[in-house]
PDB file of all heavy atoms in Angstrom:
ATOM      1  N   ILE A 273     -30.040  24.751  22.674  1.00 99.00           N
ATOM      2  CA  ILE A 273     -31.089  24.127  21.853  1.00 99.00           C
ATOM      3  C   ILE A 273     -30.898  22.617  21.914  1.00 99.00           C
ATOM      4  O   ILE A 273     -29.848  22.097  21.512  1.00 99.00           O
ATOM      5  CB  ILE A 273     -31.038  24.618  20.386  1.00 99.00           C
ATOM      6  CG1 ILE A 273     -31.108  26.146  20.321  1.00 99.00           C
ATOM      7  CG2 ILE A 273     -32.169  24.000  19.571  1.00 99.00           C
ATOM      8  CD1 ILE A 273     -31.073  26.726  18.904  1.00 99.00           C
ATOM      9  N   GLY A 276     -32.449  16.819  25.343  1.00 98.00           N
ATOM     10  CA  GLY A 276     -32.767  15.386  25.353  1.00 98.00           C
ATOM     11  C   GLY A 276     -31.881  14.664  26.336  1.00 98.00           C
ATOM     12  O   GLY A 276     -31.862  14.973  27.529  1.00 98.00           O
ATOM     13  N   TYR A 277     -31.065  13.715  25.839  1.00 97.00           N
ATOM     14  CA  TYR A 277     -30.174  12.940  26.715  1.00 97.00           C
ATOM     15  C   TYR A 277     -28.961  13.775  27.158  1.00 97.00           C
ATOM     16  O   TYR A 277     -28.611  13.841  28.338  1.00 97.00           O
ATOM     17  CB  TYR A 277     -29.732  11.669  25.961  1.00 97.00           C
ATOM     18  CG  TYR A 277     -28.514  11.008  26.542  1.00 97.00           C
ATOM     19  CD1 TYR A 277     -28.559  10.395  27.788  1.00 97.00           C
ATOM     20  CD2 TYR A 277     -27.308  11.003  25.837  1.00 97.00           C
ATOM     21  CE1 TYR A 277     -27.432   9.799  28.333  1.00 97.00           C
ATOM     22  CE2 TYR A 277     -26.181  10.409  26.379  1.00 97.00           C
ATOM     23  CZ  TYR A 277     -26.241   9.814  27.620  1.00 97.00           C
ATOM     24  OH  TYR A 277     -25.115   9.243  28.141  1.00 97.00           O
ATOM     25  N   TRP A 278     -28.283  14.431  26.206  1.00 98.00           N
ATOM     26  CA  TRP A 278     -27.011  15.092  26.500  1.00 98.00           C
ATOM     27  C   TRP A 278     -27.193  16.552  26.923  1.00 98.00           C
ATOM     28  O   TRP A 278     -26.383  17.097  27.677  1.00 98.00           O
ATOM     29  CB  TRP A 278     -26.096  14.983  25.269  1.00 98.00           C
ATOM     30  CG  TRP A 278     -24.644  15.297  25.526  1.00 98.00           C
ATOM     31  CD1 TRP A 278     -23.915  16.288  24.938  1.00 98.00           C
ATOM     32  CD2 TRP A 278     -23.744  14.636  26.432  1.00 98.00           C
ATOM     33  NE1 TRP A 278     -22.628  16.289  25.406  1.00 98.00           N
ATOM     34  CE2 TRP A 278     -22.490  15.276  26.324  1.00 98.00           C
ATOM     35  CE3 TRP A 278     -23.879  13.564  27.321  1.00 98.00           C
ATOM     36  CZ2 TRP A 278     -21.383  14.881  27.071  1.00 98.00           C
ATOM     37  CZ3 TRP A 278     -22.767  13.177  28.067  1.00 98.00           C
ATOM     38  CH2 TRP A 278     -21.550  13.831  27.935  1.00 98.00           C
ATOM     39  N   ASP A 299     -36.380  23.157  23.518  1.00 98.00           N
ATOM     40  CA  ASP A 299     -36.519  21.810  22.949  1.00 98.00           C
ATOM     41  C   ASP A 299     -37.894  21.764  22.309  1.00 98.00           C
ATOM     42  O   ASP A 299     -38.882  22.205  22.910  1.00 98.00           O
ATOM     43  CB  ASP A 299     -36.379  20.716  24.020  1.00 98.00           C
ATOM     44  CG  ASP A 299     -36.108  19.366  23.374  1.00 98.00           C
ATOM     45  OD1 ASP A 299     -36.979  18.885  22.603  1.00 98.00           O
ATOM     46  OD2 ASP A 299     -35.019  18.811  23.592  1.00 98.00           O
ATOM     47  N   LYS A 300     -37.930  21.231  21.093  1.00 98.00           N
ATOM     48  CA  LYS A 300     -39.228  21.251  20.408  1.00 98.00           C
ATOM     49  C   LYS A 300     -40.208  20.260  21.020  1.00 98.00           C
ATOM     50  O   LYS A 300     -41.391  20.318  20.746  1.00 98.00           O
ATOM     51  CB  LYS A 300     -39.043  21.030  18.911  1.00 98.00           C
ATOM     52  CG  LYS A 300     -38.508  19.700  18.514  1.00 98.00           C
ATOM     53  CD  LYS A 300     -38.367  19.624  17.013  1.00 98.00           C
ATOM     54  CE  LYS A 300     -37.840  18.265  16.620  1.00 98.00           C
ATOM     55  NZ  LYS A 300     -37.498  18.149  15.235  1.00 98.00           N
ATOM     56  N   GLU A 321     -37.131  27.295  18.375  1.00 98.00           N
ATOM     57  CA  GLU A 321     -35.687  27.554  18.233  1.00 98.00           C
ATOM     58  C   GLU A 321     -35.395  29.015  17.854  1.00 98.00           C
ATOM     59  O   GLU A 321     -34.354  29.562  18.206  1.00 98.00           O
ATOM     60  CB  GLU A 321     -35.071  26.610  17.189  1.00 98.00           C
ATOM     61  CG  GLU A 321     -35.619  26.850  15.782  1.00 98.00           C
ATOM     62  CD  GLU A 321     -35.399  25.690  14.820  1.00 98.00           C
ATOM     63  OE1 GLU A 321     -35.482  24.529  15.243  1.00 98.00           O
ATOM     64  OE2 GLU A 321     -35.166  25.975  13.637  1.00 98.00           O
ATOM     65  N   VAL A 336     -27.392  21.107  20.758  1.00 98.00           N
ATOM     66  CA  VAL A 336     -27.282  19.772  21.358  1.00 98.00           C
ATOM     67  C   VAL A 336     -28.426  18.888  20.821  1.00 98.00           C
ATOM     68  O   VAL A 336     -29.177  18.262  21.562  1.00 98.00           O
ATOM     69  CB  VAL A 336     -27.299  19.859  22.903  1.00 98.00           C
ATOM     70  CG1 VAL A 336     -26.721  18.567  23.502  1.00 98.00           C
ATOM     71  CG2 VAL A 336     -26.510  21.051  23.403  1.00 98.00           C
ATOM     72  N   THR A 337     -28.538  18.905  19.511  1.00 98.00           N
ATOM     73  CA  THR A 337     -29.622  18.227  18.799  1.00 98.00           C
ATOM     74  C   THR A 337     -29.004  17.157  17.882  1.00 98.00           C
ATOM     75  O   THR A 337     -27.774  17.099  17.742  1.00 98.00           O
ATOM     76  CB  THR A 337     -30.376  19.267  17.953  1.00 98.00           C
ATOM     77  OG1 THR A 337     -29.401  19.997  17.199  1.00 98.00           O
ATOM     78  CG2 THR A 337     -31.178  20.234  18.804  1.00 98.00           C
ATOM     79  N   HIS A 342     -27.472  20.055  12.996  1.00 98.00           N
ATOM     80  CA  HIS A 342     -26.369  20.911  13.473  1.00 98.00           C
ATOM     81  C   HIS A 342     -26.088  22.074  12.518  1.00 98.00           C
ATOM     82  O   HIS A 342     -25.917  23.215  12.954  1.00 98.00           O
ATOM     83  CB  HIS A 342     -25.076  20.094  13.650  1.00 98.00           C
ATOM     84  CG  HIS A 342     -25.140  19.113  14.778  1.00 98.00           C
ATOM     85  ND1 HIS A 342     -24.111  18.262  15.088  1.00 98.00           N
ATOM     86  CD2 HIS A 342     -26.114  18.843  15.697  1.00 98.00           C
ATOM     87  CE1 HIS A 342     -24.433  17.515  16.139  1.00 98.00           C
ATOM     88  NE2 HIS A 342     -25.653  17.839  16.508  1.00 98.00           N
ATOM     89  N   GLU A 359     -22.517  20.043  19.089  1.00 98.00           N
ATOM     90  CA  GLU A 359     -22.213  18.653  19.428  1.00 98.00           C
ATOM     91  C   GLU A 359     -21.421  17.947  18.336  1.00 98.00           C
ATOM     92  O   GLU A 359     -21.398  18.372  17.192  1.00 98.00           O
ATOM     93  CB  GLU A 359     -23.525  17.891  19.704  1.00 98.00           C
ATOM     94  CG  GLU A 359     -23.891  17.879  21.153  1.00 98.00           C
ATOM     95  CD  GLU A 359     -22.700  17.569  22.053  1.00 98.00           C
ATOM     96  OE1 GLU A 359     -21.897  16.684  21.714  1.00 98.00           O
ATOM     97  OE2 GLU A 359     -22.564  18.219  23.095  1.00 98.00           O
ATOM     98  N   LYS A 360     -20.803  16.858  18.719  1.00 98.00           N
ATOM     99  CA  LYS A 360     -20.119  15.994  17.753  1.00 98.00           C
ATOM    100  C   LYS A 360     -21.154  15.075  17.130  1.00 98.00           C
ATOM    101  O   LYS A 360     -22.132  14.738  17.820  1.00 98.00           O
ATOM    102  CB  LYS A 360     -18.997  15.204  18.416  1.00 98.00           C
ATOM    103  CG  LYS A 360     -19.455  14.247  19.548  1.00 98.00           C
ATOM    104  CD  LYS A 360     -19.927  12.905  19.057  1.00 98.00           C
ATOM    105  CE  LYS A 360     -20.763  12.144  20.010  1.00 98.00           C
ATOM    106  NZ  LYS A 360     -21.565  11.069  19.454  1.00 98.00           N
ATOM    107  N   ASP A 386     -17.984  19.721  20.349  1.00 98.00           N
ATOM    108  CA  ASP A 386     -17.885  19.031  21.638  1.00 98.00           C
ATOM    109  C   ASP A 386     -17.198  17.667  21.516  1.00 98.00           C
ATOM    110  O   ASP A 386     -17.839  16.621  21.557  1.00 98.00           O
ATOM    111  CB  ASP A 386     -19.285  18.879  22.257  1.00 98.00           C
ATOM    112  CG  ASP A 386     -19.225  18.242  23.638  1.00 98.00           C
ATOM    113  OD1 ASP A 386     -18.117  18.160  24.201  1.00 98.00           O
ATOM    114  OD2 ASP A 386     -20.279  17.823  24.142  1.00 98.00           O
ATOM    115  N   THR A 388     -15.614  15.967  23.714  1.00 98.00           N
ATOM    116  CA  THR A 388     -15.456  16.005  25.179  1.00 98.00           C
ATOM    117  C   THR A 388     -14.205  15.288  25.684  1.00 98.00           C
ATOM    118  O   THR A 388     -13.551  15.757  26.614  1.00 98.00           O
ATOM    119  CB  THR A 388     -16.693  15.340  25.845  1.00 98.00           C
ATOM    120  OG1 THR A 388     -17.844  15.614  25.070  1.00 98.00           O
ATOM    121  CG2 THR A 388     -16.902  15.831  27.249  1.00 98.00           C
ATOM    122  N   HIS A 436     -15.722  10.101  18.684  1.00 98.00           N
ATOM    123  CA  HIS A 436     -14.900  10.190  19.897  1.00 98.00           C
ATOM    124  C   HIS A 436     -13.473   9.728  19.586  1.00 98.00           C
ATOM    125  O   HIS A 436     -12.501  10.422  19.864  1.00 98.00           O
ATOM    126  CB  HIS A 436     -15.466   9.291  21.002  1.00 98.00           C
ATOM    127  CG  HIS A 436     -16.798   9.724  21.520  1.00 98.00           C
ATOM    128  ND1 HIS A 436     -17.025  10.982  22.012  1.00 98.00           N
ATOM    129  CD2 HIS A 436     -17.976   9.060  21.634  1.00 98.00           C
ATOM    130  CE1 HIS A 436     -18.282  11.076  22.420  1.00 98.00           C
ATOM    131  NE2 HIS A 436     -18.881   9.933  22.187  1.00 98.00           N
TER     132      HIS A 436
HETATM  133  N1  NAD B 961     -20.103  14.660  23.537  1.00 79.61           N
HETATM  134  C1  NAD B 961     -20.669  13.553  23.975  1.00 79.61           C
HETATM  135  O1  NAD B 961     -20.077  12.758  24.718  1.00 79.61           O
HETATM  136  C2  NAD B 961     -22.075  13.258  23.545  1.00 79.61           C
HETATM  137  C3  NAD B 961     -22.854  12.315  24.248  1.00 79.61           C
HETATM  138  C4  NAD B 961     -24.157  12.096  23.811  1.00 79.61           C
HETATM  139  C5  NAD B 961     -24.678  12.778  22.725  1.00 79.61           C
HETATM  140  N2  NAD B 961     -23.888  13.670  22.056  1.00 79.61           N
HETATM  141  C6  NAD B 961     -24.391  14.402  20.904  1.00 79.61           C
HETATM  142  O2  NAD B 961     -25.429  15.284  21.337  1.00 79.61           O
HETATM  143  C7  NAD B 961     -26.396  15.449  20.292  1.00 79.61           C
HETATM  144  C8  NAD B 961     -27.772  15.110  20.881  1.00 79.61           C
HETATM  145  O3  NAD B 961     -27.765  13.770  21.292  1.00 79.61           O
HETATM  146  P1  NAD B 961     -28.817  13.230  22.374  1.00 79.61           P
HETATM  147  O4  NAD B 961     -28.360  11.843  22.691  1.00 79.61           O
HETATM  148  O5  NAD B 961     -29.004  14.203  23.476  1.00 79.61           O
HETATM  149  O6  NAD B 961     -30.130  13.150  21.472  1.00 79.61           O
HETATM  150  P2  NAD B 961     -31.643  13.169  21.976  1.00 79.61           P
HETATM  151  O7  NAD B 961     -32.465  12.689  20.833  1.00 79.61           O
HETATM  152  O8  NAD B 961     -31.770  12.487  23.294  1.00 79.61           O
HETATM  153  O9  NAD B 961     -31.945  14.715  22.239  1.00 79.61           O
HETATM  154  C9  NAD B 961     -32.030  15.643  21.213  1.00 79.61           C
HETATM  155  C10 NAD B 961     -33.112  16.658  21.601  1.00 79.61           C
HETATM  156  O10 NAD B 961     -33.096  17.704  20.635  1.00 79.61           O
HETATM  157  C11 NAD B 961     -34.441  18.106  20.403  1.00 79.61           C
HETATM  158  N3  NAD B 961     -34.483  18.789  19.116  1.00 79.61           N
HETATM  159  C12 NAD B 961     -34.215  18.272  17.892  1.00 79.61           C
HETATM  160  N4  NAD B 961     -34.297  19.237  16.940  1.00 79.61           N
HETATM  161  C13 NAD B 961     -34.625  20.386  17.581  1.00 79.61           C
HETATM  162  C14 NAD B 961     -34.832  21.718  17.155  1.00 79.61           C
HETATM  163  N5  NAD B 961     -34.730  22.068  15.872  1.00 79.61           N
HETATM  164  N6  NAD B 961     -35.161  22.646  18.073  1.00 79.61           N
HETATM  165  C15 NAD B 961     -35.264  22.298  19.375  1.00 79.61           C
HETATM  166  N7  NAD B 961     -35.088  21.049  19.857  1.00 79.61           N
HETATM  167  C16 NAD B 961     -34.739  20.098  18.963  1.00 79.61           C
HETATM  168  C17 NAD B 961     -35.246  16.827  20.484  1.00 79.61           C
HETATM  169  O11 NAD B 961     -36.611  17.086  20.772  1.00 79.61           O
HETATM  170  C18 NAD B 961     -34.522  16.071  21.602  1.00 79.61           C
HETATM  171  O12 NAD B 961     -35.118  16.298  22.865  1.00 79.61           O
HETATM  172  C19 NAD B 961     -25.957  14.523  19.157  1.00 79.61           C
HETATM  173  O13 NAD B 961     -25.252  15.268  18.207  1.00 79.61           O
HETATM  174  C20 NAD B 961     -25.014  13.530  19.833  1.00 79.61           C
HETATM  175  O14 NAD B 961     -24.024  13.014  18.954  1.00 79.61           O
HETATM  176  C21 NAD B 961     -22.616  13.926  22.470  1.00 79.61           C
END
Side-chain angles (χ1 to χ4, degrees):
I273 305 180
Y277 162 68
W278 195 240
D299 197 298
K300 65 180 181 188
E321 65 199 37
V336 199
T337 50
H342 291 178
E359 267 315 319
K360 61 84 199 162
D386 183 13
T388 326
H436 293 305

